[in-house]
Amino acid sequence: MLTALSIANIVLIERLDLDFEDGLGVLTGETGAGKSILLDALGLALGMRADTALVRQGADKAQVTASFAPPVPGTPLARLLADNDIAIEPGEPLLVRRTLKADGGSRAFLNDQPCSAALLREVGVQLVEIHGQHDDRGLLAPAGHRALLDAYARADTGAVAQSHAAWRAAEARLAAARTAVSEAERDREWLGHCVAELIALAPQPGEEAELAEARAAMQKGERIAGDLSTILEAFDGSAGGPALLRGAARRLDRLAGDHPLLAEALASLDRAIIDADEAESRLHEAARAMEYDPERLEAAETRLFELRAMARKHGVQPDELPQLAADLAARLDAIEGGSAGLAKLEAEVAETAAAYTQAASRLSDQRAKAAARLDAAVAGELAPLKLDAARFRTLLERLPAERWGAEGIDRVEFLISTNPGAPFGPLAKIASGGELSRFILALKVALAEEGGADTIIFDEIDRGVGGAVASAIGERLARLAGAGKQLLAVTHSPQVAAKGAAHFVIAKSSEGTVTRTGVRALDADGRREEIARMLSGAEVTAEARAQAERLLEVV
């Protein structure tokens, strides 16, 4: 809610500081005193077009600062500020400031942080609704009518939003699966050929290293086969080294007792025989391991070539061929089982679509019932506001399926007909300026506290009416203010002015060639005198003062 407004060098306002409270505040003054200047200044602060004509003559720049109550956490306004990194300290007001240079150019600030005029307008819409003769925002924008009706219906739109998200997610999964199956179908022949090749090759993990090692061993065996044969000949037969050592050991065994050195020599000879036997065994093992077999070598080289060629073909390492075979086989299986998978996803889409349609239809039914209640509520407000011939209708129209969304399946728009037999149409196009303001008031009262900004300004809503109609307008403004809203009404009607909880008067004064506009808050005596002036004109009579007293007593 608006708590304070500071204006400097705006048209006829040189300097002005105002404080505001909750409830209904009224602003009065003689015609031409400059009430519109105050609204233009506030509009500038809220992001409206920066017109250099607003800068007071002789001043370099104009400035307007508006202070608002701290945004409530979790509200759209709080989220908007957070999304744009506008810091708000807990309990601190939100300051909106706009400066405008006389030679053009303006700057905008939110809590002293520079911001764009576009962001200022977004924030301004959340803070204040201004309804005047040429208003084209707030309740006149059909884009917001559905949300207002939902709030009036106390409808839980979250279930529809969740079911819509689930439906769209299922559709996305189905589309992705169809794309994957389509791509796989194009690769079916290639996959079948590759899988068949790999199955025929039957690569094994670590096989390449084993083959390479075996081939290298056989190639070495081919080179040293002659040397190994000669060495082994030294171990074979009765003339071989081991046989001669054993014969010597037998002879020495008979002599070993004759001298200690002979016993030591026998021990050494026994160890030599053992080492010779071990050497012979290792030589035979090596010969077998490195045995050169041309057919085995050719087979190993052929297999090694096939493995490496297949690995190059698929751009993998030979040891990765078994996993590749499994992956390609799985892709091929997926093609075969693709139809079953698609059928399951199609069933899921149908199920989530049905759930969304059911939830959206329930919401649509709630909207229809709420629309009937709202139409009746608005109709009850029209006659007292001198709109007896007018009719109000909430249009609830089913959208085509391709436009269904998270908000449901309906288009909602508030329509009016101002004369009997006249067709219904949008508020902004059908109603005249005075009628439009009264329609908005009727709708606002019917909606009570549902939706919209916390601060609402009505600019001359009582234009062209008086008496009982003006009283009805004042009563409804006060009722709306009592529903948790802050209202400011620019009025020429004493009946409306008497309903205000706070009363401001705007007046123009001149000193030589300098003209200034000022605004001041009135006390009880000041209010009575101002309302008496509004009743009687230039000369305030005792009868006017008495009538003003009666109006204030009724409040």
Side-chain angles (χ1 to χ4, degrees):
M1 294 185 180
L2 180 66
T3 57
L5 182 65
S6 177
I7 303 171
N9 297 321
I10 294 287
V11 192
L12 298 178
I13 299 176
E14 186 173 30
R15 181 74 193 185
L16 181 62
D17 295 290
L18 293 174
D19 293 322
F20 298 92
E21 297 179 355
D22 298 349
L24 174 60
V26 295
L27 179 67
T28 63
E30 295 183 359
T31 301
K35 293 186 291 295
S36 62
I37 299 174
L38 197 64
L39 297 185
D40 289 341
L42 181 58
L44 180 67
L46 297 174
M48 294 182 185
R49 189 173 69 87
D51 186 352
T52 55
L54 291 173
V55 181
R56 178 179 170 81
Q57 187 174 4
D60 294 331
K61 69 175 183 178
Q63 179 171 291
V64 184
T65 303
S67 176
F68 292 87
V72 177
T75 59
L77 174 59
R79 291 194 295 269
L80 177 61
L81 294 172
D83 290 344
N84 287 276
D85 299 323
I86 303 299
I88 303 290
E89 294 295 328
E92 292 297 315
L94 171 61
L95 297 178
V96 179
R97 179 161 56 93
R98 187 92 176 271
T99 60
L100 174 62
K101 293 183 179 180
D103 57 359
S106 68
R107 297 187 68 191
F109 302 85
L110 288 169
N111 271 18
D112 292 327
Q113 296 176 244
C115 69
S116 66
L119 176 59
L120 193 64
R121 280 193 295 274
E122 284 189 72
V123 171
V125 168
Q126 299 282 345
L127 290 170
V128 179
E129 288 182 29
I130 300 178
H131 299 292
Q133 298 295 305
H134 307 291
D135 181 47
D136 60 354
R137 302 180 303 163
L139 289 177
L140 301 188
H145 292 176
R146 181 167 53 194
L148 286 170
L149 181 62
D150 288 343
Y152 182 76
R154 298 289 199 275
D156 179 11
T157 58
V160 174
Q162 290 174 1
S163 59
H164 180 264
W167 178 24
R168 293 307 182 208
E171 286 187 324
R173 289 192 293 272
L174 175 59
R178 282 174 172 164
T179 300
V181 168
S182 177
E183 291 175 352
E185 284 288 351
R186 292 197 299 268
D187 295 338
R188 179 196 287 271
E189 184 177 350
W190 177 81
L191 282 171
H193 173 72
C194 291
V195 170
E197 273 190 332
L198 287 165
I199 289 175
L201 184 63
Q204 301 298 317
E207 185 180 6
E208 186 217 15
E210 293 175 4
L211 287 171
E213 185 178 348
R215 183 183 67 165
M218 285 189 284
Q219 288 173 337
K220 291 177 182 177
E222 182 183 8
R223 293 196 303 271
I224 64 174
D227 292 334
L228 275 178
S229 179
T230 301
I231 294 170
L232 286 170
E233 286 178 0
F235 286 83
D236 290 339
S238 57
L244 295 175
L245 287 174
R246 290 188 185 92
R250 285 194 297 271
R251 290 174 181 267
L252 186 57
D253 184 49
R254 293 194 294 269
L255 305 174
D258 294 337
H259 196 280
L261 291 175
L262 292 176
E264 292 177 8
L266 179 60
S268 298
L269 191 56
D270 286 339
R271 288 196 299 271
I273 292 171
I274 293 171
D275 290 339
D277 288 341
E278 187 175 346
E280 182 180 13
S281 176
R282 296 292 173 82
L283 285 169
H284 281 292
E285 288 178 8
R288 286 192 299 272
M290 303 175 68
E291 181 180 5
Y292 169 63
D293 182 345
E295 292 183 359
R296 280 183 59 216
L297 178 59
E298 183 179 358
E301 289 181 333
T302 300
R303 177 67 176 174
L304 196 58
F305 173 80
E306 290 174 346
L307 288 171
R308 289 175 175 173
M310 187 67 73
R312 285 194 301 272
K313 178 178 178 179
H314 292 283
V316 298
Q317 295 298 317
D319 279 348
E320 295 172 353
L321 287 174
Q323 184 60 49
L324 175 66
D327 293 343
L328 295 181
R331 286 176 59 186
L332 192 58
D333 290 341
I335 296 175
E336 303 299 334
S339 298
L342 289 179
K344 182 178 178 181
L345 289 173
E346 287 168 353
E348 183 181 352
V349 169
E351 182 181 345
T352 53
Y356 168 78
T357 303
Q358 186 177 16
S361 296
R362 285 197 300 268
L363 176 59
S364 186
D365 291 341
Q366 283 183 277
R367 285 170 173 165
K369 293 175 182 176
R373 295 198 307 272
L374 180 60
D375 292 352
V378 174
E381 298 291 335
L382 294 180
L385 296 176
K386 202 178 178 181
L387 294 169
D388 315 59
R391 291 173 297 155
F392 174 86
R393 186 177 77 186
T394 302
L395 172 67
L396 191 66
E397 184 178 65
R398 179 67 61 93
L399 292 167
E402 62 270 15
R403 292 181 58 192
W404 291 358
E407 299 83 11
I409 57 179
D410 308 303
R411 183 178 80 86
V412 176
E413 185 174 2
F414 300 146
L415 303 176
I416 60 169
S417 170
T418 54
N419 297 298
F424 283 89
L427 275 68
K429 294 183 179 180
I430 300 298
S432 64
E435 289 176 328
L436 182 59
S437 293
R438 280 178 279 150
F439 258 116
I440 289 173
L441 176 59
L443 185 54
K444 274 289 184 184
V445 171
L447 289 169
E449 59 187 22
E450 308 303 340
D454 287 336
T455 299
I456 306 171
I457 297 175
F458 285 97
D459 183 13
E460 298 187 3
I461 190 175
D462 49 13
R463 179 186 291 268
V465 300
V469 176
S471 293
I473 291 174
E475 289 170 2
R476 280 152 180 79
L477 289 172
R479 191 195 315 168
L480 183 57
K485 299 288 186 182
Q486 179 191 48
L487 265 71
L488 296 175
V490 177
T491 180
H492 290 286
S493 167
Q495 291 88 347
V496 173
K499 299 294 182 181
H503 193 152
F504 302 91
V505 65
I506 187 165
K508 191 161 53 177
S509 62
S510 298
E511 293 181 13
T513 60
V514 179
T515 302
R516 295 182 178 87
T517 290
V519 180
R520 59 188 177 88
L522 299 178
D523 57 15
D525 291 339
R527 289 191 68 191
R528 184 180 63 253
E529 196 69 13
E530 172 64 9
I531 292 174
R533 181 200 64 76
M534 297 171 72
L535 286 165
S536 63
E539 183 180 350
V540 180
T541 65
E543 182 181 352
R545 290 188 178 94
Q547 188 176 353
E549 191 72 40
R550 287 193 295 273
L551 285 175
L552 290 168
E553 286 175 356
V554 171
V555 178

